Amino acid sequence: GQQLNQSPQSMFIQEGEDVSMNCTSSSIFNTWLWYKQDPGEGPVLLIALYKAGELTSNGRLTAQFGITRKDSFLNISASIPSDVGIYFCAGLVGGADGLTFGKGTHLIIQP
Amino acid sequence: NAGVMQNPRHLVRRRGQEARLRCSPMKGHSHVYWYRQLPEEGLKFMVYLQKENIIDESGMPKERFSAEFPKEGPSILRIQQVVRGDSAAYFCASSTTAGTGKAPLHFGNGTRLTVT
């Protein structure tokens, strides 16, 4: 089946630093999504990308849909304590397919 | 506007019992998806339903698992004769159209099933 390789697995950063994480795949996806999950809760959608090459921002978050349609990255600028959590990328081929999720990037912010 | 509602939040079952997990989609959403999440893992797609129809159940185990989304009432994920390996968080998501298209999935807060 399809797989998404998400990296890094975890990040330990200082408050105020910028963060970058990415997802790659051996197969093409037509939609890329980035979710954040806090402990005990469901994933919350951060950014959705629908076109190859698309660059989209949501506040301090910026994500891009790779031109090859096989990768995507998420950047967080000037991290704050509430950014702590697990970030998941997810890809969709189309139609009625379910999302394929990466294994997540744990973001830990040291004061 | 209430989000996707799942209940119970936590469910404990002994091996061999049945587990029933309920999901009420967001208002106006007629497409429901169930995902399973094991500790330290991403979510894995199980099944996609529209009202009264199963559209794609390719991610759901063939035995002991079933799902429904009746005309009235919530979607139900049913696990018969649970085993320890069924212990996981089960998430429901809903959207207004098929797949995500231009309508991304909105997730509930999950049901954490523990099989003892």
Side-chain angles (χ1 to χ4, degrees):
Chain A
Q2 293 155 332
Q3 284 189 334
L4 291 182
N5 300 308
Q6 189 170 348
S7 65
Q9 195 172 5
S10 55
M11 301 184 74
F12 294 80
I13 62 165
Q14 302 282 342
E15 184 178 346
E17 285 185 23
D18 295 343
V19 171
S20 186
M21 60 190 80
N22 69 80
C23 259
T24 59
S25 171
S26 57
S27 50
I28 285 171
F29 287 94
N30 292 315
T31 300
W32 283 91
L33 303 157
W34 285 91
Y35 287 86
K36 179 173 183 266
Q37 186 177 29
D38 291 326
E41 298 187 6
V44 174
L45 181 67
L46 299 174
I47 292 182
L49 302 154
Y50 300 107
K51 271 168 60 172
E54 181 181 353
L55 183 72
T56 296
S57 292
N58 177 9
R60 293 179 296 106
L61 278 59
T62 302
Q64 183 155 34
F65 189 149
I67 236 9
T68 64
R69 291 197 270 161
K70 292 183 179 181
D71 63 329
S72 176
F73 72 74
L74 174 71
N75 288 340
I76 306 172
S77 62
S79 57
I80 59 177
S82 62
D83 291 335
V84 165
I86 306 175
Y87 292 79
F88 289 99
C89 62
L92 177 74
V93 175
D97 296 339
L99 289 173
T100 299
F101 278 81
K103 290 194 172 184
T105 294
H106 291 244
L107 180 62
I108 297 138
I109 298 177
Q110 296 160 330
Chain B
N1 184 20
V4 178
M5 304 299 292
Q6 287 188 250
N7 66 83
R9 288 296 304 270
H10 299 274
L11 182 61
V12 179
R13 284 287 178 266
R14 290 201 183 97
R15 276 181 299 169
Q17 290 185 320
E18 179 180 287
R20 289 171 73 87
L21 288 62
R22 286 176 290 278
C23 168
S24 295
M26 284 180 72
K27 189 176 178 182
H29 287 195
S30 57
H31 300 253
V32 164
Y33 302 76
W34 286 93
Y35 286 79
R36 176 162 65 177
Q37 185 178 33
L38 295 170
E40 307 300 319
E41 296 278 325
L43 282 72
K44 294 276 195 300
F45 167 74
M46 297 181 74
V47 60
Y48 160 44
L49 310 105
Q50 291 179 31
K51 283 283 185 184
E52 299 185 276
N53 287 308
I54 296 175
I55 307 301
D56 180 358
E57 55 184 349
S58 59
M60 200 155 69
K62 300 254 184 292
E63 295 178 357
R64 302 188 298 107
F65 284 72
S66 62
E68 62 178 19
F69 188 17
K71 190 175 177 183
E72 303 290 338
S75 175
I76 306 285
L77 179 67
R78 185 176 172 217
I79 312 172
Q80 294 177 291
Q81 298 174 322
V82 295
V83 300
R84 288 224 171 97
D86 296 333
S87 296
Y90 292 83
F91 289 95
C92 171
S94 71
S95 73
T96 56
T97 62
T100 63
K102 295 290 185 182
L105 297 185
H106 294 269
F107 284 84
N109 280 331
T111 293
R112 275 136 193 92
L113 173 65
T114 302
V115 179
T116 61

